[in-house]
Amino acid sequence: MNARMEQRNAGVAPAIATHYEQVRQHSVALAAPLSDEDCCAQSMPDASPIKWHLAHTTWFFETFILERFELNYQPHHPVFRVLFNSYYNGVGDKHARAQRGLLTRPSLAAVHDYRRDVDARLLEVLAQPMKAEQFAQLATLVGLGLQHEQQHQELMLTDVQHLLSCNPLMPAYREAPLRVRSSPAPMQWHSFDAGIVEIGHDGEGFCFDNELPRHRQFVEPYQLASRLVTNGEYLAFIEAGGYRDPSLWLSEGWDWVKREGLEHPLYWRQTEDGWCVFGLHGLQSLDVNAAATQISYFEADAYARWAGARLPTEAEWEHAARQGKGLQQLFGECWQWTSSSYAAYPGFQTAEGALGEYNGKFMANQYVLRGSSCATPEGHARVSYRNFFPATARWQFMGVRLAR
Amino acid sequence: MNARMEQRNAGVAPAIATHYEQVRQHSVALAAPLSDEDCCAQSMPDASPIKWHLAHTTWFFETFILERFELNYQPHHPVFRVLFNSYYNGVGDKHARAQRGLLTRPSLAAVHDYRRDVDARLLEVLAQPMKAEQFAQLATLVGLGLQHEQQHQELMLTDVQHLLSCNPLMPAYREAPLRVRSSPAPMQWHSFDAGIVEIGHDGEGFCFDNELPRHRQFVEPYQLASRLVTNGEYLAFIEAGGYRDPSLWLSEGWDWVKREGLEHPLYWRQTEDGWCVFGLHGLQSLDVNAAATQISYFEADAYARWAGARLPTEAEWEHAARQGKGLQQLFGECWQWTSSSYAAYPGFQTAEGALGEYNGKFMANQYVLRGSSCATPEGHARVSYRNFFPATARWQFMGVRLAR
Amino acid sequence: MNARMEQRNAGVAPAIATHYEQVRQHSVALAAPLSDEDCCAQSMPDASPIKWHLAHTTWFFETFILERFELNYQPHHPVFRVLFNSYYNGVGDKHARAQRGLLTRPSLAAVHDYRRDVDARLLEVLAQPMKAEQFAQLATLVGLGLQHEQQHQELMLTDVQHLLSCNPLMPAYREAPLRVRSSPAPMQWHSFDAGIVEIGHDGEGFCFDNELPRHRQFVEPYQLASRLVTNGEYLAFIEAGGYRDPSLWLSEGWDWVKREGLEHPLYWRQTEDGWCVFGLHGLQSLDVNAAATQISYFEADAYARWAGARLPTEAEWEHAARQGKGLQQLFGECWQWTSSSYAAYPGFQTAEGALGEYNGKFMANQYVLRGSSCATPEGHARVSYRNFFPATARWQFMGVRLAR
Amino acid sequence: MNARMEQRNAGVAPAIATHYEQVRQHSVALAAPLSDEDCCAQSMPDASPIKWHLAHTTWFFETFILERFELNYQPHHPVFRVLFNSYYNGVGDKHARAQRGLLTRPSLAAVHDYRRDVDARLLEVLAQPMKAEQFAQLATLVGLGLQHEQQHQELMLTDVQHLLSCNPLMPAYREAPLRVRSSPAPMQWHSFDAGIVEIGHDGEGFCFDNELPRHRQFVEPYQLASRLVTNGEYLAFIEAGGYRDPSLWLSEGWDWVKREGLEHPLYWRQTEDGWCVFGLHGLQSLDVNAAATQISYFEADAYARWAGARLPTEAEWEHAARQGKGLQQLFGECWQWTSSSYAAYPGFQTAEGALGEYNGKFMANQYVLRGSSCATPEGHARVSYRNFFPATARWQFMGVRLAR
């Protein structure tokens, strides 16, 4: 290694380290309002305990960075490799997903120790002199690990909301709402012409593999709503019998509505004082001006059909978002369902090894959401970002932007 | 009605009647080799008894044509409206799908009576004088009913194969195979350029609503295999450990393979004399030159990944098929999985009323298949035809054409 | 073999043969009103197709008698050994119970051929000269096979009733009811003293192994109702909210009632014309004087609690039945639930080999019923007879005699 | 109230108060080695979190005593009435059993507050002057509440063992085993004569309603093993293929063994170092001299059949235990399965109101166990005590004493 290489690393490494510490600290801060018990429980197989999120994001750095870059690497605890593996078959065995809530050991305190140990070791690795090529690999992996941790930061909030919603005491995660919402302007339709558009990440900054390659799609002329569907609008759908009319629903969605006996969104509650919504700040009266959220694909699609509209494709959404044109609530409110099934872009390549399992293997029977939500960490959103969930998922901050 | 109108109808009606009788007779012929018992049993909720197919296709004509066009319409039997409704919520109640095999009454003979009664009445309706506009509606509905019946004719074969496969006696539906297969030529890759292509039905002859509207899509450069994957090629995948390597599978597919303990396609059997396949003509030695069939989307996708290729999109398939270019086995062998999720074309419209439930409401969590199979009735296939099934379905004649 | 032995056999064998033919013929007669389709379908895993009953009872004679006693025994069909084995692990593999309705082959006609073949061969075996000891074994096994067939004759009726009840056409098995019922006398309590009683078969004639050995039990003083609970009495329980009051039910029974949404006995239907009951002769108005039947243990127990009484133990029932004392409807109406869990009598011995599986292995989580029903073949009932079913079973002719 | 009454209460109340505090304190001591997280998790619907046990036993005193005896009773927290109701329909709604592990709130600390509050108030009620009759009722209910708490103390240990067994870290509840076990003497058969025996509680001291009334039963001559079956003896059963031979099992048990893939008792683990057992003190080598424990009824019954013996009836067990005759390990080792289905004794009466739900409603599809275990609190066992569990339960300290 020559001196120049070391110099360059020395210039970048501190910035990476600072960013690393900020992102890592944010996870700890998100867990701070919660008790050890809150952090251990798992309310459904799709959600994970907060403690597990704290450990798994650490496992990611240990497994994919320390194991590769640390001299004389020794695991923090050999069993953690299995306990905190989420879905990477390439890494080996995994603790059963539905049993994460039974891991009362290691304790929350021990998981915080685990975080501190890995953090210290990772910062040491970052500070080591190494060849530029190797450092570039390291920096890329650290960047991926931090994006990964930010994804889990959003899940920490949605998972804890789900857990607390199962408790008849209806406890609040914290007092104040995440964001103050203002009254929306009247909904308007913005028009876009037909033509070949380019979608996918355009090469600057970080992106996940599923945002690549940037490629061409043809879109027919379309219109997009200027803002998201509000609670008040969604309430009109309910009151018009939306949950009782099969002609509004996809067949599989209707079977699901009947089987589960659904009559309203996940966190809506009909009380003596009218409609309320359970959120991170407890049970609150329904805000008719706020964007309707935590709504499944099947509900979003039925609402759109009832409203004489449809959901946008992801090409339409991304093309419009890149143009701006006065569209509101693209980011920071709630993720927006598209009608696009989650699939590989033409020429999509997965990484070698276990990291290739990050995104590609989930490309079946899920739908893409675009934008970002009130729970998305600052700096994590992108216009080319592809979030994805099954059509019945509804515990995330998911809402509806209409198209036609 | 003036004389000209009557004349025009009089010219077309006999041809429709002849076609009607031919298609209807074919269903009866398909059931002919089977006993009353064979026609009554249902081997799984996804499959229906032959007798139910015979009755449901008749119910379709009675409900959507006789009820509308017959003077003084009286139902053949009031309970049949419920018994033989498949999934039309707009028509009213339905007999539970999984319980179709319990309908030992009406008897097969009574169902044949039902067919003869509806046939006679429908032919009488066809022969009535009526206004041209009304006749056009009638002709359209009869055409739809016959296409519908042809779809069920294919299902009759695949459903009875599944039923007989559950019987340790391994009975044959009939002695000879459906088609004689010749040895395939070596597989070649055919190349196609990038560009805007048009897909969807182009306006001549019948099509289903889901093939409309014809519209533009952009395709990147791609290659398509000249023929389907053979049993011999698929066997190599099995022998290379294809069913034991999670890195080849979509995550949901891998969970399914493990949960069901899958090791080979649905009808393959490992016997003392080597690999055999159960088909409509009983258990036969595996023909390594025949196209691999009755393979799920998950298996097709895993095979393609193992082979260093992928499945085509439906736009790629249709564009290539319209050009020809020496592609073999496009039709008449087995349906070919595409990577395209079954979704509405831009501007897709459903029909008014219960017939609007025909296709649109199934546009979720299914994948499109293109081409046609050895079980597809003559004259039913089209280059724009969109067949669709869930990713785990594998009792249809479904195979693999590779793309890259 | 000396002449005397042969002579003795020769004296008994014809009587056995006659009895054999009568019992076997009765099964055929029970199936006569039904179509091939009716005989093939299976409405739930607990019930079997008529055709399967016809074949399984034949399999019993073939497996346990022909295989042992016939010279140069050849199976009628090698696969039948598996297809028509019910639950005898000692005999080998079994066709999956829930899949009996998929056996459209062998056809009903082929099963009747199977019966005729085995009947002819068995009668030939009976007519052969053999040693007395061997003949005694043969006679015992034939007797057991005929008792076994009579048990299945009752199941044929209850299983076909269940199948037909699943059909919205509500077809009748036959026109006339099985028995004409007369109005019951007012219910009276008959008293019995405490003391040591003997229960179990007393050595004359046939009995199953579970009726042995005859042994002593101590009973405290008790009273038994002179007749069974009527439909009218049971209706009063329903109208008093019996199905909505958890305090009347065993905990597991209450969970079952809520899970299944039960509000009345299995075959009761609330129609525009009031309460009706679906039976072997179709849908009929509720006869308030008839004994309530097709009632589960949980329902029987809840009714008894509501009526301020309880179910009798099997020792109480048998002791009372042996004394007579004017008890009505002991036999021929419906089986009567006892509070006794089905368990081995002290000193109970099972037979060697697969026949030892006949009764003993079912002695867990079932309750004993005593008496006999309208569907029990003539000559099959005994005062020591122990019928048994799980607490939720309710498709048999099961009713309630109160005790206190 | 006259002075004498007050005096009498004043004499007894302090002793009750002392006993109350001892028993209540023991529950707290049992939870002491565990973290907040350990106390919150629920490993299966049959088991409850430690915190829930601590709260439910407190709820019992609040609901059945404070609510009745306290002047101006106010609930500690109105929602606790629902959260900590186990199965008393008479008290009102219940939190879903399978969701107890989601109750991260109230915190463990808040539950300890709840305990202290109720304890203080109950001791105050005890100290109040009241009429003798009323005091007698109070004393009876306090006694019942303490017996109830002792039952839960045993469940706390078995439930926490199950939870810890689900954790790949295999944590110990505490270091030392509960009891030191000595090598057993050779097994001997003790004989008992036929005759009328009396079983049930005989009137001195506390008993549960299900131990009454004391009544007569007739027992045939029988023999009982002098000690429990050991791990070494059970291991011989496993090694002889006990889990693979259907002829040893009840039919329902065999279906269960196959469905679950069982090959050994719940907590046995085959390791590189041979057989180990997971217990409250972690994973330990199998002690071949210790009593085999945590064995289901189905396993106990199969073992007994394999050993040429059977399980005793509860009358046999109680009659023998009352006589002594040198029987070892009757108490304090593990509960002993009997072949007796859990049923009402002749003349059994339940209490009025919700407390009547304590025992009676569970008298279906469960089997009686006699004796007591290493986890049973001191002073809780009785010769007439009837423990009961379903035939598949195996996470309790349950073992086998043979009879014949």
Side-chain angles (χ1 to χ4, degrees), chain B residues 59 168 199 381:
Chain B
W59 169 95
I199 70 165

Side-chain angles (χ1 to χ4, degrees), chain B residues 184-202:
Chain B
M187 203 266 273
Q188 292 177 312
W189 290 103
H190 293 271
S191 299
F192 299 86
D193 295 334
I196 295 175
V197 304
E198 287 203 9
I199 70 165
H201 188 64
D202 55 7

Side-chain angles (χ1 to χ4, degrees), chain C residues 35 46 94 96 108 110 132 179 185 198 240 306 363 367 369 386 391:
Chain C
S35 70
D46 283 344
K94 297 159 291 183
L108 180 59
R179 297 254 192 298
E198 287 204 9
W306 175 79
M363 291 176 173
Y367 286 85
L369 298 113
R386 305 174 81 197

Side-chain angles (χ1 to χ4, degrees), chain A residues 33-38 40-43 51 77 79-80 83 95 99 101-109 163-164 166-169 171-172, chain D residues 33-38 40-43 51 77 79-80 83 95 99 101-109 163-164 166-169 171-172:
Chain A
L34 299 168
S35 70
D36 290 17
E37 303 173 53
D38 292 333
C40 188
Q42 179 180 32
S43 54
K51 185 170 73 177
H77 191 302
V79 177
F80 286 13
L83 287 186
H95 186 69
Q99 308 247 318
L102 305 187
L103 297 175
T104 62
R105 321 282 178 95
S107 68
L108 180 59
L163 171 65
L164 297 177
C166 298
N167 193 321
L169 294 169
Chain D
L34 299 168
S35 70
D36 290 17
E37 304 172 54
D38 292 333
C40 188
Q42 179 180 31
S43 55
K51 184 170 73 178
H77 191 302
V79 177
F80 286 14
L83 287 186
H95 186 70
Q99 308 248 318
L102 305 187
L103 297 176
T104 62
R105 321 279 177 97
S107 68
L108 180 58
L163 171 65
L164 297 176
C166 298
N167 193 321
L169 295 169

